[in-house]
Amino acid sequence: ASSPLVWVPARLGLRVRISSFTRTERGPMGEQTNQWDGTGMSQEDFMYKDECITLDDNDMVTGHANKYVTHTFNVEQPRGILHRAFSVFLFDEQGRLLLQQRASTKITFPNVWTNTCCSHPLHGYSPTEVDEPADVANGTTPGVKRAAVRKLKHELGIEPEQVPVEKFKFLTRLHYWAADTVTHGPSAEWGEHEIDYVLFFQGKVDTKANPEEVDDIRYVTQDELRAMMDPSSGLLWSPWFRVICDTWLWKWWANLEETL
């Protein structure tokens, strides 16, 4: 069953980054598809091409708009445009969490450490990445899970067969916004305003990080993560990861088998 939305105001740093991609017309079984595989386009192209799923405060779909528009903070839309996102937490067989450090060249939140993969389901893909209310109510959320598989391949080189959709566990949704004041100062023109779907996965995977997206990856225990997040480490963290840690992660991780 779905959990209620959790609203958390968080004003932290942001910046937006992109990559490249190509349209695929047929899937491996010959089925019609419409997806981007992350090759052949610039970061700026990516910002204008990817169509985020726009929402109202109740997570009902209102339409779609590109990443540039949805992530722009200005007088007309001081918190950008609310859109759907996902955050994957991938654990290995020993229960360690895979972290990534976002690339220094990213437009949104460069250099920050965060969970395994954070991105957006997109409008216009086939199979669809747009979940309907019934998908959320019954906890299946196939759209965001398909998006997670796509981005795990793009960012971390994890092959789809290693992360089958049915093995992801949808746990909750988080409504937050954050301006990238660290990168762009107090009048930051970029930000995130998302309803973020939290997904857990456990299994053995092979990684090959995409340097356009990721500067570093690391498997950590709970104690190692606490040490990394201590202010004395000097490391930067994504605002959504901090909120998820403070609200849920530690208790879910402590009971990982039950959580999954």
Side-chain angles (χ1 to χ4, degrees), residues 36 120-122 125 129 146-154:
W36 305 111
H120 311 92
L122 298 176
Y125 272 26
E129 293 183 358
R146 291 186 191 113
V149 172
R150 171 175 57 82
K151 289 300 291 183
L152 285 166
K153 169 64 174 175
H154 177 221

Side-chain angles (χ1 to χ4, degrees), residues 17-19 86-91 96-120 147-148 150-158 207-220 225 228-229 235-242 249 253:
R17 157 41 185 283
I18 315 103
S19 240
F86 65 84
S87 287
V88 174
F89 289 72
L90 187 152
F91 300 86
R96 297 179 302 169
L97 173 63
L98 179 60
L99 302 177
Q100 70 156 272
Q101 183 183 27
R102 291 166 62 86
S104 60
T105 51
K106 274 188 170 287
I107 299 170
T108 55
F109 293 106
N111 301 306
V112 303
W113 283 89
T114 191
N115 49 285
T116 314
C117 181
C118 329
S119 192
H120 311 92
R150 171 175 57 82
K151 289 300 291 183
L152 285 166
K153 169 64 174 175
H154 177 221
E155 295 187 3
L156 297 170
I158 299 172
T207 59
K208 185 179 180 181
N210 179 351
E212 292 188 353
E213 298 292 329
V214 178
D215 274 356
D216 197 5
I217 60 173
R218 187 180 305 178
Y219 279 102
V220 296
L225 178 57
M228 288 178 68
M229 295 187 74
L235 299 175
L236 299 173
W237 295 89
S238 73
W240 58 89
F241 183 73
R242 283 191 173 278
L249 178 61
W253 196 353

